[in-house]
Amino acid sequence: MKCHQLIETPTHKWVFFGRDPEKPNKIIDTNQYMVVTSNKALLMDPGGIELFAPMLANIVKMIPLEQLTHLFASHQDPDIISSLGLWDQTLPDAKLYSAWMWEGFIRHFGMDNISYEAIPDEGMSINLEQVELKFIPAHYLHSSGNYHVYDPAAKVLMSGDVGAALEGPEADIFVEDFDAHTQKMRFFHQRWMPSNAAKNDWIARVRQLDIEYLCPQHGRIFQGKQVAQFLDWFEHLDVGTGLNKSA
């Protein structure tokens, strides 16, 4: 598994985990992100149960395990949160932030110790020491209860399945050729994003944010001007029920 420090500010840093060449071939590749402050850390979409061991091994190389105080699940899918039962035994005092509507579902992965912190539909903010992180609504993209994580200081948006591309573990971390990369995103977005209305609502909300890095859960990270390129591309892409029947 690759571990890459994405950005560092005077108060905190963002770390990327992914591209595990030892994962089973039929398991989808996922990206994990962690925000680390002096004494706390938030792990976003910690991954499926098969990723628990390599994730834990990489994290303890970076921080003491007791520093990992917060978890976040953008939605309820197993590829991002089915490892919860193992984290529950490892981090009994941690908090998990996710949509209020998914608590009864996510608990099926095993959750006896970690506390569930329900995010309301309109989103919310939390503080990791002096660092503010915002949970931005992204409902129906693709889950009916869905959120992204925005860091105003670092100008990073962890965008869940929005911006995702399905690639192998040999893929680079960052987008190089944007036009070529759209061919790896098109089918995923058209099939998994159900609503043009939800898509356009999210785009209008995100255009108001100052973003330098757009970090999806699958595929590559967008930087700088590529963020605006992606928003323009996504805006003009018909998705889900907006597609013609012949598409």
Side-chain angles (χ1 to χ4, degrees), residues 186-200:
R186 184 178 303 277
F187 175 79
F188 181 90
H189 286 77
Q190 287 185 322
R191 189 61 185 264
W192 284 93
M193 304 297 163
S195 164
N196 278 332
K199 177 199 71 173
N200 292 333

Side-chain angles (χ1 to χ4, degrees), residues 12-14 33-37 40-42 44 128 131 133:
H12 63 297
K13 60 186 175 183
W14 278 70
Y33 302 95
M34 185 168 68
V35 174
V36 181
T37 64
K40 295 185 178 182
L42 167 72
M44 290 162 259
L128 288 184
V131 177
L133 299 172

Side-chain angles (χ1 to χ4, degrees), residues 11 173 232 241:
T11 57
I173 296 173
D232 290 343
T241 56

